[in-house]
């Protein structure tokens, strides 16, 4: 705390007391001097007025008998009055004095007694009750006596002023010490606390006034601050110890984390190597399986082309061929699932007729439908499909066939004997495909129906059918959704966002015909 420009409050108090006392003394002197001078002038005016009236009455005979000498004798009596500087009697309207004493004052025309005061003199005019109208007595009164009174008053003030100032200074000094010393000590303590941060200091003062209350509350505040400072120091020590402990623990954890990271990197490398080996083995297995399936798919084609088979034999051979293609799709889809999960699969698109795919799958699922006693219905915009309808979309035929095969197989396998599985096509709007069956999906798997490895109630189920169907729909930019309940059964809807226009469908139909 800087002391530059600091004026002690005690000095201000002493200056205020002295200034107030001196101002009161001067004001009292002036207020007393004014009435004194005014009283003197008023008394002089009253005396002179009485003298003028008496003298005017005595001069009436001298004026009536035109006796200036007698009038001069009467005016000469004014020599006994020391304040009278001069007097003159004017008869009628004449401006020449009829009789005079001392310095003749100028004529003043009045009809009654008149007093005119100046700074150092006074003029009193009184009508003379004589036969000559306009006769007047004029007295000139000197007020020099008032300056003597003022001089005496100033002399007394000059003597009393130092005495009063001395006593006022002594009183101001006492008040300064009584009020200023505690404040000075308080300021000193505040300065010391501010510089050294020593909250154990106290102000040594007791009193029953406002300063006493201020000092008492200040000391109480210092005690509270000291207590809080001690608490903060203790908490600081505890916090530092805790920080040191946590820092040591953090270092141990960092070392443990580094060890675990090294182990994890080692495990990742091992698993990456194992994954690479697994992929290579799967690639070899897929190649070997595809080589074997070429016979399963090729020989039915040869037998069908050679002919000489009964209708039943042809039907069974086609089923063998369809099973071979289904197995080939399953082998190929293993790699496709991985690419679609990573979002790196590239579609090989073309115009695909979904009704043709579903009709082909109907023949493929014939043994499964017959075994389960389930019927399959196919309709387009509410009308049963007879085989020559078209529902073209843009996509990859093999993936769309697998998607529809998985959904239809799930519906057929979940149905009961006598149930009807329906595949419905809607060409209005974006184009939709619905696969329905009368059996509801179990409640515990409804929310996870399209998740990976979710299955229930199937002896050899893998939980990949609906998952792969959802992946194919997403890859084609289509939306797939499930609605199921005990009252409505199960409805799976696929909405294609872009369908082939009607003119394209007609072109496909014309080309087929």
């Amino acid at each position: 705390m800087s002391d530059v420009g600091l004026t002690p409050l005690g000095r201000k108090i002493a200056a205020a007391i002295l200034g107030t006392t001196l101002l009161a003394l001067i004001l009292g002197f002036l207020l007393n001097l004014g009435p004194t001078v005014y009283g003197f002038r008023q008394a002089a005016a009253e005396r002179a007025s009485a003298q003028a009236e008496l003298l005017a009455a005595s001069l009436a005979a001298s004026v009536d008998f035109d006796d200036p000498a007698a009038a001069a004798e009467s005016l000469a009596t004014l020599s006994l009055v020391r304040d009278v500087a001069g007097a003159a009697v004017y008869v009628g309207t004449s401006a020449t004095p009829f009789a005079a004493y001392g310095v003749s004052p100028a004529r003043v025309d009045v009809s009654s007694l008149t007093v005119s005061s100046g700074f150092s003199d006074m003029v009193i005019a009184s009508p003379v009750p004589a036969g000559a109208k306009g006769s007047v007595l004029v007295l000139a009164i000197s007020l020099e006596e008032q300056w003597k009174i003022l001089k005496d008053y100033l002399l007394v003030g000059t003597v009393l002023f130092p005495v009063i100032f001395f006593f006022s200074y002594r009183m101001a000094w006492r008040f300064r010490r009584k009020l200023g010393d505690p404040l000075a000590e308080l300021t000193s303590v505040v300065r010391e606390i501010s510089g050294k941060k020593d909250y154990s200091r106290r102000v040594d003062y007791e009193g029953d006034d406002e300063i006493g209350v201020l000092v008492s509350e200040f000391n109480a505040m210092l005690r509270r601050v000291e207590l809080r400072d001690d608490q903060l120091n203790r908490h600081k020590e505890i916090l530092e110890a805790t920080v040191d402990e946590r820092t040591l623990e953090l270092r141990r954890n960092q070392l443990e984390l580094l060890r675990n990271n090294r182990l994890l990197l080692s495990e990742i490398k091992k698993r990456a190597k194992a994954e690479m080996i697994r992929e290579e083995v799967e690639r070899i297995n897929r190649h070997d399986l595809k080589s074997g399936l070429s016979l399963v798919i090729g020989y039915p084609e040869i037998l069908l082309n050679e002919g000489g088979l009964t209708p039943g034999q042809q039907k069974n051979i086609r089923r063998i061929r369809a099973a071979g293609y289904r197995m080939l799709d399953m082998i190929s889809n293993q790699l496709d699932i991985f690419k679609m999960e990573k979002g790196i699969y590239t579609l090989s698109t073309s115009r695909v007729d979904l009704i043709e795919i579903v009709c082909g799958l109907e023949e493929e699922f014939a043994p499964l439908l017959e075994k389960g006693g389930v019927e399959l219905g196919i309709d387009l915009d509410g009308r049963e499909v007879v085989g020559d309808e078209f529902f073209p979309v843009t996509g990859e035929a093999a993936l769309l066939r697998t998607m529809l095969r998985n959904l239809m197989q799930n519906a057929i396998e979940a149905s009961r004997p006598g149930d009807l599985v329906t595949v419905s096509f809607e060409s209005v709007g974006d184009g939709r495909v619905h696969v329905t069956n009368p059996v509801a999906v179990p409640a515990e798997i409804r929310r996870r129906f399209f998740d990976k490895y979710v299955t229930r109630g199937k002896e050899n189920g893998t939980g990949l059918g609906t998952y792969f169907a959802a992946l194919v729909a997403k890859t084609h930019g289509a939306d797939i959704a499930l609605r199921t309940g005990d009252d409505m059964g199960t409805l799976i809807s696929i909405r294609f966002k872009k369908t082939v226009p009607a003119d394209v469908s007609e072109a496909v139909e014309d080309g087929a015909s």
Side-chain angles (χ1 to χ4, degrees):
M1 183 180 295
S2 177
D3 294 338
V4 178
L6 181 64
T7 302
L9 184 60
R11 293 184 183 178
K12 295 180 180 180
I13 295 173
I17 294 175
L18 287 176
T20 304
T21 303
L22 294 178
L23 180 61
L25 180 63
I26 294 172
L27 289 177
F29 180 80
L30 294 177
L31 291 176
N32 193 26
L33 179 61
T36 301
V37 174
Y38 176 78
F40 170 78
R41 293 172 67 93
Q42 192 70 19
E46 291 177 357
R47 289 195 306 271
S49 297
Q51 291 172 358
E53 287 180 346
L54 292 174
L55 188 58
S58 66
L59 290 172
S62 298
V63 172
D64 288 339
F65 290 104
D66 193 20
D67 187 0
E73 289 181 4
S74 297
L75 294 177
T77 59
L78 294 175
S79 62
L80 300 176
V81 182
R82 62 180 181 177
D83 294 337
V84 178
V89 179
Y90 295 91
V91 177
T93 59
S94 177
T96 302
F98 175 73
Y101 166 75
V103 180
S104 299
R107 177 185 174 90
V108 179
D109 294 326
V110 294
S111 59
S112 61
L113 181 66
T114 302
V115 178
S116 299
S117 297
F119 192 70
S120 298
D121 58 6
M122 182 183 301
V123 177
I124 299 174
S126 177
V128 177
K133 299 297 183 182
S135 299
V136 62
L137 170 64
V138 181
L139 297 181
I141 306 300
S142 174
L143 299 178
E144 293 297 329
E145 187 70 20
Q146 68 180 357
W147 301 113
K148 182 181 178 183
I149 296 174
L150 180 60
K151 181 179 179 181
D152 294 342
Y153 199 81
L154 289 175
L155 181 61
V156 173
T158 304
V159 174
L160 292 178
F161 182 80
V163 178
I164 295 174
F165 180 81
F166 174 76
F167 282 104
S168 299
Y169 180 79
R170 295 296 298 176
M171 291 181 62
W173 181 258
R174 291 188 60 187
F175 281 115
R176 175 182 178 275
R177 295 193 61 183
K178 185 175 180 62
L179 298 177
D181 290 353
L183 294 177
E185 184 179 358
L186 179 62
T187 303
S188 176
V189 172
V190 170
R191 185 181 296 110
E192 184 176 350
I193 292 174
S194 177
K196 299 180 180 180
K197 307 299 180 183
D198 182 11
Y199 298 105
S200 62
R201 289 280 286 111
R202 298 292 184 269
V203 180
D204 186 14
Y205 178 80
E206 293 183 0
D208 56 355
D209 52 9
E210 289 81 355
I211 297 179
V213 174
L214 176 63
V215 171
S216 177
E217 292 298 326
F218 180 75
N219 289 335
M221 181 188 69
L222 288 178
R223 284 192 293 271
R224 291 193 295 269
V225 171
E226 183 181 11
L227 178 61
R228 292 178 183 177
D229 193 54
D230 292 340
Q231 293 176 349
L232 286 176
N233 289 332
R234 289 195 296 270
H235 285 301
K236 181 180 177 181
E237 294 174 357
I238 296 173
L239 182 60
E240 289 176 351
T242 304
V243 169
D244 293 340
E245 181 181 354
R246 295 292 175 82
T247 303
L248 182 61
E249 182 180 356
L250 179 60
R251 290 177 180 175
R252 289 197 298 267
N253 292 337
Q254 287 177 340
L255 294 176
E256 184 67 22
L257 182 60
L258 290 175
R259 287 194 294 270
N260 292 337
N261 286 340
R262 285 195 291 267
L263 293 176
L264 180 60
L265 289 174
S266 177
E267 185 66 20
I268 289 174
K269 290 180 180 179
K270 291 180 181 178
R271 293 195 177 187
K273 184 177 180 180
E275 185 68 19
M276 183 178 63
I277 295 173
R278 184 185 66 80
E279 289 181 358
E280 182 65 20
V281 172
E282 287 183 353
R283 187 184 63 80
I284 295 172
N285 290 337
R286 285 197 298 271
H287 178 269
D288 293 343
L289 290 173
K290 287 181 180 180
S291 299
L293 280 176
S294 63
L295 298 177
V296 177
I297 296 172
Y299 277 111
E301 291 288 348
I302 296 174
L303 293 175
L304 290 173
N305 290 333
E306 289 180 353
L309 300 174
T310 63
Q313 291 173 338
Q314 292 180 0
K315 185 176 181 180
N316 291 332
I317 289 176
R318 289 192 184 93
R319 290 177 177 175
I320 294 172
R321 182 182 62 184
Y325 278 115
R326 184 169 66 251
M327 181 63 68
L328 182 61
D329 289 342
M330 292 176 61
I331 295 171
S332 300
N333 289 340
Q334 292 181 0
L335 181 60
D336 296 340
I337 289 176
F338 174 77
K339 291 182 177 181
M340 283 186 280
E341 286 177 337
K342 300 300 182 181
I344 60 175
Y345 187 83
T346 303
L347 287 173
S348 178
T349 60
S350 62
R351 301 297 184 187
V352 182
D353 182 10
L354 296 185
I355 291 181
E356 180 181 358
I357 291 178
V358 172
C359 290
L361 292 174
E362 180 183 15
E363 181 179 351
E364 180 181 330
F365 286 129
L368 183 60
L369 292 169
E370 182 178 353
K371 178 181 177 181
V374 179
E375 297 183 4
L376 177 65
I378 307 172
D379 62 72
L380 172 63
D381 295 331
R383 293 178 297 177
E384 185 177 358
V385 171
V386 297
D388 57 351
E389 294 84 359
F390 293 90
F391 191 86
V393 297
T394 301
E396 188 169 333
L399 291 179
L400 294 174
R401 181 186 301 109
T402 303
M403 177 186 70
L404 292 173
R405 178 190 295 117
N406 291 344
L407 297 178
M408 292 172 62
Q409 183 175 350
N410 274 355
I412 294 170
E413 291 177 347
S415 299
R416 297 160 301 198
D419 288 342
L420 173 64
V421 175
T422 304
V423 181
S424 302
F425 296 91
E426 293 182 5
S427 60
V428 180
D430 290 337
R432 298 172 183 266
V433 180
H434 306 289
V435 180
T436 61
N437 69 292
V439 179
V441 175
E444 60 268 22
I445 65 171
R446 290 176 185 176
R447 293 183 177 273
R448 302 179 293 114
F449 185 73
F450 293 109
D451 291 349
K452 200 172 185 179
Y453 305 126
V454 175
T455 183
R456 185 177 182 277
K458 295 183 180 181
E459 183 177 353
N460 297 317
T462 61
L464 294 175
T466 55
Y467 174 71
F468 185 64
L471 276 179
V472 173
K474 179 181 178 182
T475 304
H476 282 78
D479 295 329
I480 186 168
L482 168 70
R483 292 178 58 195
T484 185
D486 295 335
D487 297 334
M488 62 173 294
T490 300
L491 169 65
I492 299 176
S493 298
I494 306 170
R495 181 173 66 88
F496 293 91
K497 295 182 180 180
K498 294 182 180 180
T499 59
V500 180
D503 55 350
V504 177
S505 301
E506 293 173 358
V508 175
E509 182 178 354
D510 295 340
S513 60

